[in-house]
Amino acid sequence: MELTSRRATNAIILMPAGRIDQDHADSFKQALGPHLAGCRAGNAPVILDFSAVSYISSVGLRVLMLAARQVKAQGGRLVIAALTPIVKEVFEISRFNLVYKVFPDVAAALAAVESPA
C-alpha cells in the first residue's frame, strides 16, 4: 500500500494504491495522519481517490472510521471518490457509503468540495 498526494485548485487529493488490509492498514493510517491533521475548518478539503485500491478489509474500514471522526471533530471535509467495484461492494455492505460522501470520480468530488458545504 502506498499513498501519494497532489494539490488541486482547492483540495488535496490523496491516492492510496493496493490493498488496505491487516498487513497494510497501519501504514495507511500513518501516511494519512499528517493530511488529517491539516483537514480543518477553513483549510483545503481532502479527497481520497480510491481508484487504485484493490481491496479494503474491516481493519482498513476502521482506519477510515477513525479518520471520519477526527475530521468531523476538526470541522474539516473528507470525501471519497472512484471506488473500484469490489471496494464499492464492501462500502455498501458495511454501509460506509453512509459514513462518507462517495463520488463516482475525482472530478465529481472536486466539484462538490469546491462548492459551499
Side-chain angles (χ1 to χ4, degrees), residues 17-48:
R19 297 173 60 90
I20 305 174
D21 56 13
Q22 181 71 34
D23 294 334
H24 302 100
D26 282 340
S27 62
F28 177 59
K29 182 180 178 180
Q30 289 175 354
L32 198 56
H35 299 285
L36 296 179
C39 190
R40 300 180 175 277
N43 288 358
V46 173
I47 298 170
L48 288 172

Side-chain angles (χ1 to χ4, degrees), residues 23-115:
D23 294 334
H24 302 100
D26 282 340
S27 62
F28 177 59
K29 182 180 178 180
Q30 289 175 354
L32 198 56
H35 299 285
L36 296 179
C39 190
R40 300 180 175 277
N43 288 358
V46 173
I47 298 170
L48 288 172
D49 175 357
F50 265 44
S51 61
V53 175
S54 58
Y55 176 77
I56 188 164
S57 71
S58 60
V59 178
L61 291 175
R62 182 177 186 281
V63 171
L64 291 178
M65 178 60 78
L66 294 173
R69 287 182 185 165
Q70 178 181 344
V71 170
K72 182 178 180 180
Q74 296 170 174
R77 291 181 75 187
L78 176 65
V79 300
I80 296 179
L83 297 176
T84 58
I86 189 116
V87 174
K88 182 178 181 185
E89 184 177 351
V90 170
F91 264 62
E92 289 170 353
I93 290 169
S94 64
R95 301 181 61 91
F96 258 72
N97 56 331
L98 302 176
V99 174
Y100 279 96
K101 288 188 179 179
V102 178
F103 297 92
D105 54 45
V106 173
L110 277 170
V113 299
E114 289 176 347
S115 64

